[in-house]
């Protein structure tokens, strides 16, 4: 498991991001304590998500493209 570092933006809903490289699983922990779990997310897409977060845009719509499970 890799905890991804990113520049946190105050208005961003994202608190932490974790990536399991072995099975390409992405966990996105929100400030609201919800966690989105996405399977089969290539690492290239992770970099795109990080760019969106750091730009101040809402990353949730991008994350939802990977059919996340909310846990």
């Amino acid at each position: 498991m890799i905890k991804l570092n990113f520049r946190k933006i105050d208005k961003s809903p994202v608190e932490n991001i974790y990536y399991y490289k072995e099975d390409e699983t992405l966990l996105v922990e929100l400030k609201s304590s919800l966690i989105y779990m996405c399977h089969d997310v290539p690492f290239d897409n992770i970099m795109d998500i990080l760019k969106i977060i750091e730009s101040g845009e809402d990353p949730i719509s991008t994350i939802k493209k990977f059919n996340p499970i909310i846990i």
Side-chain angles (χ1 to χ4, degrees):
M1 172 177 61
I2 301 169
K3 181 178 179 181
L4 302 173
N5 294 319
F6 58 95
R7 185 173 50 95
K8 294 189 178 187
I9 306 292
D10 288 338
K11 63 182 181 176
S12 175
V14 178
E15 183 67 29
N16 291 304
I17 300 175
Y18 302 94
Y19 187 66
Y20 294 87
K21 195 171 187 177
E22 295 79 25
D23 60 357
E24 297 185 324
T25 298
L26 175 69
L27 294 175
V28 180
E29 180 183 2
L30 303 181
K31 291 177 182 174
S32 65
S33 298
L34 286 176
I35 298 175
Y36 284 94
M37 182 172 65
C38 309
H39 295 286
D40 301 320
V41 180
F43 192 74
D44 291 341
N45 293 97
I46 303 301
M47 301 312 289
D48 293 338
I49 292 170
L50 289 177
K51 287 178 190 174
I52 290 169
I53 292 169
E54 291 181 345
S55 72
E57 295 178 40
D58 185 11
I60 302 302
S61 60
T62 303
I63 294 167
K64 287 185 177 180
K65 291 178 186 176
F66 297 104
N67 300 316
I69 299 169
I70 299 174
I71 54 176

